[in-house]
Amino acid sequence: MNKKGFTLIELLVVIAIIGLLSTLAVVALGNARQKARDARRLSDLKQLQTALELYYTDNSAYPAGSGVTLGDANHVCLNSGGFTTTGCTSPYMGAVPSDPLSTQSYTYTLSASSSYSVTATLEGSMNGLSAGVTLSPSGIAD
């Protein structure tokens, strides 16, 4: 008798291979998402730096604030009065960015009228930066 078809062992091997490949794809996708969030954080910091420098040029000082959580309900835009919830039709920054993860945030602190710092936390390593990064008038550093 000539039977055509797959044996149980062959089917189990194929299912195991498919499971292994799908696991590897999910892990690779998770790493890609992490890198994308880190790239967005660095991009957000550069945009913040540009807006803060424009603000400084017009006002001869950086916005007031210490420990300000950027992008929260109280600090959604940057206008001529600093970080605020109203008057968001400003030339500086109409929408202040917030961290891509809801469990993390960007924190702004005015060091002196001529200096500030914005801290953020990277999930991995990117462009020679890792973990906690700080934006200041001189740029982004560890």
Side-chain angles (χ1 to χ4, degrees):
M1 197 180 232
N2 193 6
K3 292 184 181 181
K4 294 183 180 181
F6 296 107
T7 65
L8 181 60
I9 299 293
E10 291 171 330
L11 290 174
L12 289 174
V13 167
V14 169
I15 290 171
I17 290 172
I18 290 172
L20 178 66
L21 291 175
S22 64
T23 301
L24 292 174
V26 167
V27 169
L29 182 61
N31 288 338
R33 286 182 181 163
Q34 174 187 331
K35 288 181 181 182
R37 285 190 300 268
D38 283 346
R40 179 174 166 203
R41 285 181 185 99
L42 294 178
S43 174
D44 287 349
L45 291 177
K46 291 303 283 182
Q47 289 177 354
L48 280 166
Q49 182 180 28
T50 300
L52 289 167
E53 293 306 321
L54 288 171
Y55 183 95
Y56 184 83
T57 300
D58 291 345
N59 299 293
S60 300
Y62 292 108
S66 180
V68 173
T69 301
L70 298 178
D72 67 0
N74 297 321
H75 307 95
V76 295
C77 64
L78 177 61
N79 62 20
S80 58
F83 293 106
T84 185
T85 59
T86 58
C88 293
T89 57
S90 164
Y92 303 118
M93 188 167 257
V96 175
S98 59
D99 195 275
L101 288 178
S102 61
T103 57
Q104 295 182 188
S105 62
Y106 304 138
T107 305
Y108 170 85
T109 301
L110 180 65
S111 303
S113 64
S114 62
S115 186
Y116 66 87
S117 66
V118 179
T119 58
T121 304
L122 299 179
E123 296 174 63
S125 178
M126 180 169 274
N127 297 336
L129 302 169
S130 61
V133 293
T134 301
L135 170 68
S136 66
S138 60
I140 301 171
D142 277 338

